Amino acid sequence: MLKQKSFFVMLLVSLVIGLSAPSYAVQPPPNPSELDFCALLDSAYNLVTTDFAFLLELLGDDAALLTMIQCAVADINGGIVDNIPTPNGMLDGNYELRIIKELVQNPSQYANLPSGTLPGQTRPGVNPTNVLNAYNANYQKLYTDGMHVFLTTTLPSLWPILQGRYPQQVPPLCTSPNVPPGCLDKTKIVTLFRSLLMVLAGFATVGDDASANSVATVASLLALCDVLSQGSCLVTDIERNPNNYVKLPQFLSKEGDADGDGYTNFEEYEEFADVKGPGDAFIAAVLNPSIYPGQVPPSEDKVKIYPSGTIRVEEGGSIDLRVEIKDLVAPISYRWTKGGDDIDGATSPRLIIRDVTSADAGIYQCIVTDASKGLYASAQVRVVIVPEGTIPVASGIGLAVITALCSAGGVMVLRRRK
Ligand SMILES: [Ca+2]
Ligand SMILES: [Ca+2]
Ligand SMILES: [Ca+2]
């Protein structure tokens, strides 16, 4: 009986909407400044535990999901077990999704990551513009114009039916600003669902299969189809197919490498996460290829490397690096690393590698241990190997300059004699 009534009301509402609003504007993507996923999760959690507390009762087992969205504990993209998203071991709000937040809010700061040539990079890193575009596309798949109409018009118009069905749980709906106690402010429906959909679009962009499956499941749950329509879905345009999202797993997933330093985001998380903090140390590492796990932070005042910065060496030529130490207690031991790995037998203050090939290109660093067992590292030096004959030979340049000067001098001498 209720089902038939719902269907009738739905039909009527669709008809009215169809007549009065023949076309809907495409919903604009959020402003990047809104994409603070930790704040979005907490805002949704607060609404769910206050104004929308009735959802917890109505949804039964599925409500477990809504209690898992607090920023401090939220980790819901590890795949689906018993219809509930499970953890993947990396907190979402201040860590996994914060990578997206940093990239879309500070694109110019990270614009060089795709170059693949920054100190510490072994491959190209993520492109902030691609992340913004992918995120916006995914958000617009989830928050469609149909979804907007559902939240602002259809759902409020069906509210009396919902309330009639669950009079003990569901409060009446009121329009702000005059919302009496015990009445739900209509605008909070949009606030809650929009926050959740912004988070979901983030999971979709992270892009590993587990995340995508979680998104699909949660998107279905968000529709509240079964609750409202007794099994026949009201919202037909929520995107449930994981393959339809724009995914960037090689950069943004747990096993991705956002900054191209050869360490996965999860490896950097395990080393740098301060799970009680806002994740600043993790973000500083995961989007910076010269900060990576297992690294000794450079103490350039104590260990100075020559030459520094980026050096170019011809194939067949030599790499020649040395360090000078200051204020360290003897005995001192030295080891040299390339790409973070120790170079066999390189234990003196000077590193010479002769007859180099392209395989010798990379990031070199000297790690020094002193009597106090203190570990000190030089700055990193990037060695670029170029084909033979690319670099002008210094003596050749010198000879050319001297020849030019001599001939000019000779001309002057000749002129004076005239
Ligand atoms: Ca996670
Ligand atoms: Ca990395
Ligand atoms: Ca890093």
Side-chain angles (χ1 to χ4, degrees), residues 292-328:
Y292 46 81
Q295 182 190 35
V296 181
S299 342
E300 292 176 53
D301 53 327
K302 288 194 162 58
V303 184
K304 195 109 179 98
I305 190 164
Y306 302 94
S308 60
T310 298
I311 60 169
R312 289 169 183 281
V313 180
E314 277 190 5
E315 274 177 16
S318 298
I319 295 170
D320 186 354
L321 301 169
R322 68 189 167 83
V323 289
E324 283 178 10
I325 56 167
K326 202 180 146 194
D327 300 334
L328 297 184

Side-chain angles (χ1 to χ4, degrees), residues 217-279:
T217 298
V218 179
S220 301
L221 181 69
L222 279 174
L224 294 177
C225 294
D226 295 335
V227 174
L228 287 178
S229 63
Q230 310 272 303
S232 70
C233 189
L234 278 173
V235 182
T236 55
D237 54 0
I238 285 185
E239 189 59 71
R240 291 185 183 79
N241 184 348
N243 295 324
N244 287 344
Y245 293 103
V246 185
K247 300 188 272 184
L248 297 168
Q250 70 275 37
F251 299 117
L252 299 178
S253 74
K254 181 180 167 179
E255 298 306 327
D257 179 6
D259 56 1
D261 60 7
Y263 292 88
T264 66
N265 299 332
F266 189 64
E267 286 170 329
E268 305 217 37
Y269 177 78
E270 287 192 302
E271 175 95 0
F272 299 103
D274 164 16
V275 289
K276 289 202 174 92

Side-chain angles (χ1 to χ4, degrees), residues 74-78 87-92 96 203:
D75 178 11
I76 54 175
N77 56 336
N88 71 353
M90 191 170 177
L91 287 174
D92 302 333
E96 202 163 357
F203 287 134

Side-chain angles (χ1 to χ4, degrees), residues 328-348:
L328 297 184
V329 187
I332 308 282
S333 64
Y334 300 86
R335 61 187 168 91
W336 290 83
T337 61
K338 174 177 178 258
D341 297 327
D342 284 358
I343 301 171
D344 284 346
T347 54
S348 82

